[in-house]
Amino acid sequence: RSTLFPYTTLFRSRDYNDLIIMADTETSKAINYPTSLHNYIVAWSIAFRAFGHNLVTLYGHGPYEFIEMLKSLRQNLPGDDIYIYFHNLSYDWVFIRKFMINEFGKPSHQLNTKPLNPLFIRFSNNIVLRDSLALSQRKLEKWASDMGVEHQKAVGFWDYDKQRNQTGKGSEFTADEIIYIENDVAAGVECIDATMQVLHKNISSIPITCTGIVRGEARAAGGREAHAYYLRISPEEFEMQRVYELVFHGGFTKANRYVLGLVYHAICFDIASSYPFSLMTMRAPAERFFRVKDKVDIDFILKDNPNYAFIFRIKLFDVDLKKLDYPMPVLSHAKSLKSINAILDNGRILKADYVELWTNELDFSLINRIYKFSEYVIPDCYMAVKDYLPKWFTDFVYERFISKTHLKGVDVVRYMIEKGMLNSCFGMASQQPCKPLIVEDYDTGDYAPEDIDFNEQYAKHLKNPKSFLPY
């Protein structure tokens, strides 16, 4: 601990203020709505927590007050770094960005997962904004409830249709409104604290994302074996990696187009821990995909799928559903390389004169079952032997499952964190190794990808000893 200030800690030749801080803003439509459609900040709050106690909550009206508070905070906290969380930073950043940039200058470092979605933003004065939504992967109301913290989101205490001004004159906070803005940030710091305690992390070392938590533990469990496995299976060229990404997609989730505006009683069931079960029991590509030089037909691919994995590019002609009333068409227009005269239903192809796509044997077995086509051509095909995933990884997934199961009903905080880590085991195994760097133009507010040599970036990724899970 620093002797200068009780909440300052020395860490890796830099010190940081050992405070858990959560801020939040509330916005309102303009007084002259609907003539003006602009929203603006009419309330802000910020909570501070240390050593297991909430210290103070501050709140105010307009953004200028918020910036003055940050200036005072920076002047009075001697540690280098001040970490401030927002739950869904992407929303609050839209409204506070111009005020912060005007006072503190343009950010020195910003990481965006996609346009309008910053994970963290660092200013040259070492104020660092972070997104707690990326850490929790759930709404604040759900997070606070799951973690069982003292303060819960005061749902219904804030009237979102009420028109307010930024000075507060004529729209002073009611008692309920103060409870609402205080509880939001108090619940936030308590959830972060509970997460830190279970993970044995501090405010500087806690991972930025939920997946980041489990990646560190999995990487340690895999050791050198994990990186060697990664090099053995991952494609040597980025061009093939892009093919992998075209083939990959999530589950088939889509509304039935024949059920519209009606509510039916439904009988549903959920498979417990379905993703972890699949990771532990299903076989996956166990070697680098190699090109099949001979002519390949569909029968060969579907016949051998218990033993081999296939990735192939296929051209389909005169595509149509075998049954017009099929409720869940699986051909995604967005994943297609090319289509001609496609008739779509919410992004799914019902019928087309021509469709070209990259796919695999599992997905194509569904396509073949649901659609008919007059002819097909397979110009490119790759295959690999299937086997079970490495034992160190399946053991790791199983340990997470056992830990989660034993904690259910015993320790709500540790249970929710272990459940999140278990669910992240799939997500961390399907992360793109090379992502475009999304850059914000601080003058216009626009976001655009920066020019990157992906081949060079991918080559560096392969050499990185921390790379350990094939896509």
Side-chain angles (χ1 to χ4, degrees), residues 109-282:
H109 191 196
Q110 179 172 339
L111 177 62
N112 307 294
T113 55
K114 53 187 177 182
L116 300 173
N117 196 11
L119 277 180
F120 69 83
I121 303 167
R122 175 183 286 273
F123 288 85
S124 57
N125 64 358
N126 295 323
I127 288 179
V128 184
L129 309 183
R130 286 182 172 179
D131 188 0
S132 55
L133 180 60
L135 177 65
S136 64
Q137 294 295 307
R138 68 201 83 174
K139 292 181 178 180
L140 182 60
E141 178 186 355
K142 175 68 173 168
W143 195 21
S145 174
D146 288 345
M147 302 296 267
V149 295
E150 178 184 353
H151 289 84
Q152 298 289 313
K153 188 173 178 67
V155 179
F157 280 46
W158 184 271
D159 183 359
Y160 283 96
D161 293 324
K162 179 180 176 180
Q163 293 186 357
R164 312 164 192 267
N165 61 56
Q166 292 184 315
T167 65
K169 292 180 180 179
S171 57
E172 289 79 7
F173 297 136
T174 66
D176 279 355
E177 289 170 344
I178 292 174
I179 291 173
Y180 181 88
I181 61 178
E182 283 189 333
N183 276 31
D184 267 9
V185 290
V189 293
E190 290 165 5
C191 287
I192 294 170
D193 195 8
T195 304
M196 285 168 46
Q197 297 304 317
V198 171
L199 298 176
H200 305 292
K201 300 290 185 180
N202 56 51
I203 198 63
S204 176
S205 62
I206 189 170
I208 296 173
T209 66
C210 181
T211 305
I213 297 172
V214 72
R215 279 187 76 86
E217 293 197 12
R219 185 183 289 112
R224 293 182 179 179
E225 176 190 344
H227 182 61
Y229 177 78
Y230 176 85
L231 290 177
R232 189 167 66 250
I233 291 184
S234 296
E236 294 178 294
E237 304 294 337
F238 181 69
E239 183 179 355
M240 191 62 190
Q241 169 63 31
R242 292 298 294 267
V243 171
Y244 284 20
E245 294 168 15
L246 284 170
V247 170
F248 179 87
H249 61 79
F252 294 113
T253 55
K254 182 188 175 299
N256 186 327
R257 66 189 184 281
Y258 291 105
V259 180
L260 181 64
L262 300 174
V263 177
Y264 288 89
H265 291 291
I267 299 173
C268 305
F269 66 92
D270 182 31
I271 302 173
S273 299
S274 178
Y275 277 116
F277 175 80
S278 297
L279 290 171
M280 289 189 290
T281 63
M282 304 296 185

Side-chain angles (χ1 to χ4, degrees), residues 36 58 76 134 142 151 162 172 175 188 219-220 240 264-265 328 342 366 389 404 408 413 440 467:
S36 173
L58 308 175
N76 288 281
K142 175 68 173 168
H151 289 84
K162 179 180 176 180
E172 289 79 7
R219 185 183 289 112
M240 191 62 190
Y264 288 89
H265 291 291
M328 189 73 72
L366 288 174
L389 295 176
K404 181 206 78 164
K408 190 170 186 177
V413 174
E440 179 179 355
S467 301

Side-chain angles (χ1 to χ4, degrees), residues 398-441:
Y398 186 64
E399 287 167 9
R400 298 275 72 75
F401 173 77
I402 292 297
S403 181
K404 181 206 78 164
T405 305
H406 287 174
L407 288 168
K408 190 170 186 177
V410 177
D411 187 326
V412 63
V413 174
R414 290 183 62 202
Y415 169 76
M416 292 311 304
I417 290 174
E418 280 290 347
K419 182 179 179 181
M421 291 177 67
L422 175 65
N423 293 340
S424 295
C425 287
F426 171 78
M428 69 176 176
S430 54
Q431 290 187 321
Q432 295 171 279
C434 300
K435 298 178 182 178
L437 182 62
I438 307 297
V439 179
E440 179 179 355
D441 186 322

Side-chain angles (χ1 to χ4, degrees), residues 98-111:
K98 65 180 180 181
F99 300 101
M100 294 196 69
I101 291 172
N102 184 59
E103 185 62 41
F104 304 131
K106 295 177 180 179
S108 58
H109 191 196
Q110 179 172 339
L111 177 62

Side-chain angles (χ1 to χ4, degrees), residues 15-149:
D15 53 35
Y16 62 93
N17 295 286
D18 198 6
L19 282 165
I20 304 169
I21 307 173
M22 172 75 83
D24 187 31
T25 64
E26 300 296 339
T27 61
S28 174
K29 296 182 176 69
I31 295 294
N32 57 344
Y33 178 86
T35 306
S36 173
L37 298 177
H38 293 293
N39 284 28
Y40 50 72
I41 294 173
V42 294
W44 58 266
S45 55
I46 187 167
F48 302 83
R49 182 178 174 88
F51 309 123
H53 296 281
N54 292 351
L55 304 179
V56 66
T57 300
L58 308 175
Y59 58 85
H61 287 276
Y64 296 103
E65 291 180 0
F66 182 71
I67 298 303
E68 286 301 311
M69 179 275 303
L70 291 181
K71 285 171 59 180
S72 181
L73 195 66
R74 178 65 282 179
Q75 291 165 5
N76 288 281
L77 291 181
D80 288 328
D81 293 340
I82 302 174
Y83 296 101
I84 303 175
Y85 279 90
F86 287 82
H87 204 74
N88 193 7
L89 174 60
S90 60
Y91 179 83
D92 297 272
W93 177 239
V94 170
F95 296 98
I96 64 174
R97 59 182 300 283
K98 65 180 180 181
F99 300 101
M100 294 196 69
I101 291 172
N102 184 59
E103 185 62 41
F104 304 131
K106 295 177 180 179
S108 58
H109 191 196
Q110 179 172 339
L111 177 62
N112 307 294
T113 55
K114 53 187 177 182
L116 300 173
N117 196 11
L119 277 180
F120 69 83
I121 303 167
R122 175 183 286 273
F123 288 85
S124 57
N125 64 358
N126 295 323
I127 288 179
V128 184
L129 309 183
R130 286 182 172 179
D131 188 0
S132 55
L133 180 60
L135 177 65
S136 64
Q137 294 295 307
R138 68 201 83 174
K139 292 181 178 180
L140 182 60
E141 178 186 355
K142 175 68 173 168
W143 195 21
S145 174
D146 288 345
M147 302 296 267
V149 295

